[in-house]
Amino acid sequence: MSDESGSAGGGGDDLSSLSGFFFYVFIVHPATAWILKPGRFDRKKSIMYAIGFLALLAAVKTGMEMQAKGPNHYSLLNVSRNSSPLDIKRAYKKLSLQLHPDKNPNDPNASSKFDRVKKAYDVLIDMEYREVYNKFGQDGINSSKRFDETQFFMELGVFYVTWGIMAYVLTLGKRSSLGRQWTFTGLIVMLVVEITLMTSQGSPFPSWFMPQNTEYEAVWLLHTLFPAFMNGCRSIGSYLYVDLDAQTRQLLLALQEQNKDILLVLRDVQIGVQNVQATGGGGGGGRLATAGVVPPVGATARATPTGKIKELQDRLQVSNSTVQQAVGQLKSEKSNSNFGFYAMILGYVAFSYIFSS
């Protein structure tokens, strides 16, 4: 990556992230929505195509930006992040002999190449400059920037609150709840990683991991990829969302209608039985009386067909009223399950700023 990019959380980095944000929102998101349109592909294929499209586009866009930035100081000198001053001095001596303008009279860019190598050497050979370069890039060297915790956490708060507001606005609505949770989870993870990278003494990376890249470049990469991640969460989350409340409400309404139909049928049956009894057909109670058996008090109505139907009708009416109450609760229910999640985001930012040491 380049020496010319802005400092972490600085104006150039924010501008690049915002341009990527608008690119993904107004171009990539509609294209992803076209891929995920119901009925266009199978469900699994739609998700795979959308993820592959977003990953490919993010990789190409980020790769082009990295190529435009050019190599950083470590890549120019062909040394690693953990190289000693002696290793850097040897690498510079070797390159200076190869790239010196006197040895390349036919190369019009020989002088600029030699100056870039000399500039990289001057930064990396000085341990103080080297630490600033690792954390803040070339702009940090140009402005003699030093790590100030108050300023760092203020810039961090502005950046993440801004992105949090934009992410929240883009994921408003019940259908985007899943994408909203994924987006804010990624935002919190990115915040923790950035704080870890920028507040650590020395490089927190193992020597084998990105050996020629700095903490500043890792933060830049996170900021650059976040718009793609956010829009992927937004698109796929909306596609996978299932409104359980709506489905439950539909089932309860269907059950309510079924109960009404059963009640109507039972009422017709009850009228028919009463007509049969009125015409002398008799019932279970009459047979008991004829046999000389006196039914228990309060059980005569239940022993007759009419009584049994009435009992079933009463139970169905109770069930119907219960279904109506459940439907009413679902219609009036307002979900507040995400309140704690959003409070955690604000609390973490406030905690990092107030109690930083």
Side-chain angles (χ1 to χ4, degrees), residues 112-151:
S112 61
K113 292 179 182 178
F114 182 82
D115 290 341
R116 289 177 62 191
V117 170
K118 179 66 167 62
K119 184 179 180 180
Y121 170 75
D122 290 340
V123 170
L124 297 185
I125 200 65
D126 187 305
M127 297 305 295
E128 185 177 355
Y129 280 171
R130 187 173 174 179
E131 181 66 21
V132 173
Y133 178 78
N134 288 344
K135 301 294 184 183
F136 303 104
Q138 184 60 36
D139 276 3
I141 299 294
N142 297 338
S143 60
S144 301
K145 188 171 183 177
R146 296 296 182 270
F147 182 80
D148 181 86
E149 290 185 351
T150 302
Q151 182 182 1

Side-chain angles (χ1 to χ4, degrees), residues 241-285:
Y241 174 74
V242 176
D243 193 344
L244 295 179
D245 289 347
Q247 288 188 349
T248 305
R249 184 161 52 247
Q250 290 175 357
L251 289 174
L252 290 175
L253 290 172
L255 180 60
Q256 184 179 14
E257 293 299 322
Q258 185 179 18
N259 284 351
K260 290 180 180 178
D261 294 339
I262 295 174
L263 287 172
L264 291 174
V265 172
L266 287 176
R267 190 173 293 113
D268 293 339
V269 172
Q270 186 179 24
I271 292 173
V273 171
Q274 289 175 350
N275 291 335
V276 171
Q277 290 178 342
T279 58

